[in-house]
Amino acid sequence: MSDNGAAQEERIARGTGVQEQIARGEAVHELNRVTEPDRARAEAPDRRAIVPEQSRVPSWLATGAAWSWRLLLLALAIYLIARVVGILYIVVVPCIAALLLTAVLQPLTSRLRRAGLPNMAATWVTLLVAAVVLGGVGTLVANRVSADYPTLLAETKHTVAQVQSWLAGPPFHIKSADVQKYLNNIPSYLSKHKTLVEGTVVTGGKIASEFFAGVVLMLFVTFFLIKDGERIWNWLLGAMRTGTARRMDRAGHASWLVLVYYMRGTVAVAAIHAVVVGVALWIMGVPLAVPLAVLVFLAAFVPLVGLLVAGALAIVVTLATKGWVDAVVLLGILIVEDQLEAHLLQPQVVGKMIRLHPLAVILSLAAGGVLAGIPGAVVAVPIVAVITRALPELRRTEPGDLGPEDT
């Protein structure tokens, strides 16, 4: 017997030959398990349904359909929110006005707190200062309306007589009784509707009960926003997850900073317009100079449009009392002011924090005016500015935004 035969008999005697056969068989089975599925997939026929080329939906159409139903749902949600806001108009408008007023007054409250005043005392001092300023301006306007109205009536009659004489002379030679009657009706209308004109200039509808209810609600909301605004915000954030709360906190602070700068800049721009128009009217000797200046100040809160509307009224009053020369001078002043606002005041005072294109401002004003009238036009631009500043903060994610519940 050879040496190989002896070694094989020895392995069989020890059982190692059987173990080698078993190991070799397991390796072959493992190889079959790996290769057989691939072989079966390769040999199996393609059972996918063959879709005719003409019945396939183009990718652009599928994408457009997916976006369409989502946009329809979004439009429906916006419509329902607008309906709710319209029903709760008496509540929503004072709350928005309180938010804007808080943005104006809160820097004063912060300075008083840093000076050492308690929170409650700083809040009350801020509201008292605002009440004194508003009350003083209202009293001044009312006194000037009462004092200047007779002068306005007398000078309007004189201007009407001059216009009649001018139309009767060359080159017009107009002596129509209808035109004369129409011109004579202007002073009589002012005389008969003095109360209406005074109410429009001073308060713009102070008799309405909704106006007083809105003012009271606005004052209450303003008080609590100034006093407990930070606590209210922290309470709202406490109901959110950690990552969402941090993003909302960054977006909220950025939006509030934009709103504060917007209101501060708008107040500064409005004050500049009011001072310039008031001084010009005072130098010309136009009656109701102070009420018209206050009206210009309020109208300046509607960007680009408010100054034109209030300026048109001031031009009409100047034309009726002082003639066309002073009216043309005032028109030139208003044009220069409008250009300065568009190219200097808005970009430098307001636009440092709010970078909105003029087209975006115009579209915002148009949409706000259509949806909610004058209040909508007033709040349209700050709402758009807040949204454009908050969205990047909501999309941005920082490493610290992930809390224990997000992992």
Side-chain angles (χ1 to χ4, degrees):
M1 183 179 296
S2 62
D3 294 338
N4 292 335
Q8 184 177 3
E9 290 180 357
E10 184 179 358
R11 287 197 301 271
I12 294 174
R14 293 178 181 179
T16 56
V18 176
Q19 293 178 358
E20 289 179 358
Q21 293 293 333
I22 294 174
R24 188 178 296 110
E26 290 179 352
V28 171
H29 286 303
E30 181 68 23
L31 181 62
N32 291 335
R33 282 196 300 269
V34 173
T35 58
E36 284 179 358
D38 295 335
R39 187 183 304 113
R41 283 195 297 268
E43 295 177 355
D46 189 4
R47 298 180 179 178
R48 292 178 297 179
I50 300 176
V51 181
E53 184 69 25
Q54 61 271 17
S55 64
R56 293 180 182 178
V57 178
S59 59
W60 64 267
L61 183 57
T63 304
W67 274 102
S68 297
W69 70 263
R70 289 178 173 87
L71 291 176
L72 287 176
L73 290 179
L74 181 60
L76 179 61
I78 294 175
Y79 173 76
L80 293 177
I81 292 174
R83 293 284 296 179
V84 173
V85 170
I87 295 173
L88 301 177
Y89 183 82
I90 191 62
V91 177
V92 174
V93 173
C95 290
I96 296 178
L99 196 62
L100 297 178
L101 186 60
T102 303
V104 175
L105 299 178
Q106 200 235 4
L108 176 59
T109 307
S110 301
R111 292 185 179 182
L112 294 176
R113 290 172 183 169
R114 290 194 296 266
L117 282 180
N119 186 22
M120 181 67 73
T123 303
W124 278 112
V125 169
T126 302
L127 292 179
L128 288 176
V129 169
V132 169
V133 172
L134 293 178
V137 172
T139 302
L140 178 62
V141 169
N143 291 336
R144 295 316 306 169
V145 168
S146 300
D148 293 345
Y149 204 88
T151 304
L152 174 65
L153 186 60
E155 293 188 357
T156 301
K157 291 180 179 179
H158 178 69
T159 303
V160 167
Q162 288 183 338
V163 171
Q164 289 178 353
S165 176
W166 178 55
L167 292 176
F172 300 102
H173 300 287
I174 298 176
K175 297 182 180 179
S176 174
D178 294 335
V179 174
Q180 186 174 4
K181 181 180 179 180
Y182 175 76
L183 293 175
N184 289 332
N185 284 337
I186 296 178
S188 62
Y189 177 85
L190 294 175
S191 179
K192 292 179 181 178
H193 298 83
K194 177 181 178 180
T195 304
L196 176 62
V197 175
E198 287 181 351
T200 302
V201 174
V202 177
T203 60
K206 61 182 179 181
I207 308 300
S209 59
E210 291 184 356
F211 177 79
F212 286 108
V215 168
V216 172
L217 180 60
M218 182 191 69
L219 293 177
F220 271 104
V221 175
T222 302
F223 173 81
F224 287 108
L225 287 179
I226 294 176
K227 178 179 177 292
D228 299 324
E230 194 68 26
R231 292 173 55 190
I232 295 173
W233 179 247
N234 291 332
W235 176 78
L236 292 175
L237 294 178
M240 304 176 184
R241 300 174 63 180
T242 303
T244 304
R246 289 180 179 177
R247 286 195 296 269
M248 287 295 297
D249 187 44
R250 291 197 303 268
H253 281 85
S255 302
W256 181 250
L257 186 63
V258 166
L259 190 60
V260 169
Y261 273 86
Y262 173 82
M263 292 304 297
R264 187 184 300 176
T266 303
V267 168
V269 172
I272 292 173
H273 288 322
V275 170
V276 171
V277 173
V279 170
L281 293 175
W282 176 72
I283 292 175
M284 296 177 186
V286 178
L288 304 177
V290 174
L292 290 174
V294 173
L295 183 62
V296 168
F297 175 82
L298 296 176
F301 282 87
V302 182
L304 304 178
V305 179
L307 181 62
L308 298 178
V309 176
L313 180 59
I315 291 174
V316 170
V317 174
T318 305
L319 179 63
T321 56
K322 296 299 178 182
W324 66 272
V325 176
D326 290 340
V328 171
V329 172
L330 182 60
L331 176 61
I333 294 174
L334 291 174
I335 292 175
V336 172
E337 272 202 305
D338 184 71
Q339 294 299 314
L340 288 177
E341 178 184 3
H343 297 92
L344 180 63
L345 297 179
Q346 286 287 343
Q348 296 297 324
V349 180
V350 182
K352 289 183 177 180
M353 291 298 297
I354 304 173
R355 298 176 178 88
L356 292 179
H357 194 272
L359 180 60
V361 174
I362 291 296
L363 294 178
S364 302
L365 291 174
V370 170
L371 294 175
I374 295 178
V378 172
V379 302
V381 176
I383 288 176
V384 173
V386 165
I387 292 175
T388 55
R389 193 58 186 267
L391 287 180
E393 297 295 335
L394 291 175
R395 291 195 299 262
R396 184 167 60 91
T397 302
E398 294 184 354
D401 291 342
L402 297 179
E405 67 275 12
D406 299 321
T407 58

